[in-house]
Amino acid sequence: MLEIKNLHVIVEEDGTEILKGVNLTVNKGEIHAIMGPNGSGKSTLAKVVAGHPEYEVTEGEILYNGEDILELDPDERAHLGVFLAFQYPVEVPGVTNKILLRESYNTIAESRGREELDPLEFDDYLAKKLELVDQGPEFLDRAVNTGFSGGEKKRNEIFQMAVLEPKLSLLDETDSGLDIDALRIVADGIKKLHGEDDAVVMITHYQRMLNYITPDYVHVMIGGKIVKSGDKDLALQLEEKGYEWLESYASVNGEGK
Amino acid sequence: MSETKLLESMMGEEYKYGFTTDVEYDDFPKGIDEDVIRLLSSIKDEPEWLLDFRLKAFRRWKEMEEPSWFNATYKSPDFENIQYYSSPKDRPEVESLDDIDPKIRETYEKLGIPLEEQKMLAGVAVDAVFDSVSIFTTFKEKLAEAGVIFCSISEAVKKYPELVQKYMGSVVPANDNFYAALNSAVFSDGSFCYVPKDTICPMELSTYFRINNMDSGQFERTLIIAEENSHVSYLEGCTAPMYDQNQLHAAVVELIALDSAEIKYSTIQNWYAGDEDGIGGIFNFVTKRGICKGDNSKISWTQLETGSAVTLKYPSVILKGDNTIGEFYSVAVTNKRQQADTGTKMIHLGKNSKSTIISKGISAGYSNNSYRGQVKISKKADNARNYSQCDSMLIGQTCGAHTFPYIESANPTGQIEHEATTSRVGEDQIFYLQQRGLSEDDAISMIVNGFCKEVLKELPMEFAVEANKLLGIKLEGSVG
């Protein structure tokens, strides 16, 4: 589904290189976790896949279902089923969750040749999805992320994911800022949404999210590269030993390669 | 897409109403003196008192200095090079639509303002002003049944002279300011509305202003009187062709609300704004003021200002009666080289008077957008209250937003609240919405509409859709 090959990325404004040759393959039905210390490039990777204009790809490719998507605008990638749950969801004052979701849903439906839902059908559809994040209907009439607590913002991201039914979900630190109960609700939501036709890539600092959702693969990113991949046990090892023992990998496999 | 590119494409948006209509004019020579005013008055067959009104205003105007205290720079109009009266030729008394020059009718159709009553938006009566004169007022009979008078001000001078004489200049005196004085001297036409006691006007009233002639200024006057316990909602819309010289629009609007009356006045202003380099466009220098004369009366201004090269405009309310309410809801959008200095004045004289100011300024391109507002609570206005909220939104790095609030309270029981925010439409906000599937244009439109929501919901239903579209067009950043 997603193939990232030797991806090099700089910040457009000042030319700083953030990603220094990332390789990653994600297949349908899989859950991947990407871990790593602060500043290692995890969030950048997610944003670049979604098409954030702040970054420039200098080398390598991103294939989505075999198709190069680097030239596509963020909305075109969204139409193909790419979804990014933001680490810092953006406030849009005066625009309610419902208005945004109806516009999003129908735009994406149209681009996929799917039927748009009329307002009443859409209300029913939303009501079901709300259960997933344990929110009442008043959540729909609140302005997008405006005045939301950190936890509410993260729930809203998962709610949007539930409504838009993406194929590839990139969850950027969706677990941070959540208390234990909210974490469980969000994690349960993600598990319910995940099926054999879609893939999830979770970016996280902590093992605790992985207690609820078992990843098929765990990758460690250090210094703009994936330095080690493994199964869920790798996450446990990291919890125990930290990242230091892996930093030698970064330098050995780093610049010289 | 980067912000710079976004900006560039936004500035490339076209003005849809910039065409001219080729009609013949009865024109005045350019320039202004007492002879021109006498000629104007005699052509219009005006009574003596009105000629006096004009001449007094003109004499005052000559002594006044052009104001320059606002936050805008431009080359001042050459008052000797303006045509003060311009009327489409061959204009017999218009009894039916067939009497109107088909070219002018076509113009209104192109603008989306068909004058045929059956095609009109349901429940909206229109007075159409083309350059200096009122062309036709629709739905006159239906309004007359309710006792509402809605006609051109020229007609009102003839048919209802006592009303006009009583109220004209009572809210905006002829010597109020430089441009009001000029208007009082040379105003050519405009709309008049009178709503009798205990009457709710059965439909939205609306005036559509169109400047067509290149050299003419437009100096219209609007006078609205709402008698005791009456209610009226009025909307004006404005467009002009694209010319590479500036045209002056100096209007005066006066509103009078008597006991328990309510006037709602909405504006959608989309005069030609000039090109990318700031060449051409309308100077929109208008004086709008209402008085809540009777107790428990209410005046509400709602404006959506999107056009004009320079806008200087402060629709105000004098809260004279007790328990009166004044409201000002404004969205001002500037792009390219546009400059807007706009806001309101709320003058509290009556006890328990309340005012609300909600102003939303959106600047893009190289434009400059200022809010200027005054709230004054006089000694006698016990328990007066004001709430002001002024929010500015910037799109791109080269525009400006400013807020100039003036607050004065001479009564210790007065309560004044002022809030102001400035935000920038950022790449992150646009990216977020694009990630949810919206195109860049739709994302910007959604952000801006959300920002203006509190004001847009005040517009009459029939025009809310048009307003949404207009905002979209004004800030369109076609995907590049």
Side-chain angles (χ1 to χ4, degrees), chain A residues 50-53 73-75 78-79 82-84 86 90-91 93-95 100 103-104 107-108 145 157 160 164, chain B residues 1-2 393 427-440 442 446-447 449-453 479-480:
Chain A
H52 198 291
D73 284 337
D75 50 322
H79 297 169
V82 176
F83 180 88
L84 172 62
F86 285 61
V90 179
E91 300 192 356
V95 177
L100 170 60
E103 182 109 3
S104 291
T107 308
I108 292 173
N145 298 326
E157 295 296 288
Q160 293 177 0
L164 301 178
Chain B
M1 187 181 198
S2 70
M393 181 177 263
E427 243 173 29
D428 275 334
Q429 233 174 354
I430 295 171
F431 176 63
Y432 186 71
L433 296 180
Q434 276 193 285
Q435 213 303 304
R436 298 301 181 252
L438 274 62
S439 69
E440 189 168 56
D442 289 346
M446 185 176 269
I447 293 164
N449 272 298
F451 176 70
C452 303
K453 195 178 177 185
V479 179

Side-chain angles (χ1 to χ4, degrees), chain B residues 18-28 30 77-78 80-88 130-132 210-219 239-249 271-272 279-283:
Chain B
F19 59 89
T20 48
T21 308
D22 188 14
V23 288
E24 284 190 65
Y25 285 97
D26 267 335
D27 283 340
F28 269 37
K30 289 178 182 174
D78 178 357
E80 288 309 314
N81 203 27
I82 291 173
Q83 206 161 41
Y84 287 87
Y85 186 75
S86 170
S87 160
F130 195 85
D131 289 323
S132 299
R210 170 83 180 161
I211 299 178
N212 189 59
N213 194 349
M214 177 161 76
D215 298 321
S216 72
Q218 192 165 32
F219 304 94
T239 62
M242 298 196 266
Y243 289 121
D244 58 8
Q245 67 186 61
N246 297 110
Q247 292 165 281
L248 178 62
H249 172 248
W271 297 117
Y272 177 52
I279 308 292
I282 301 289
F283 288 160

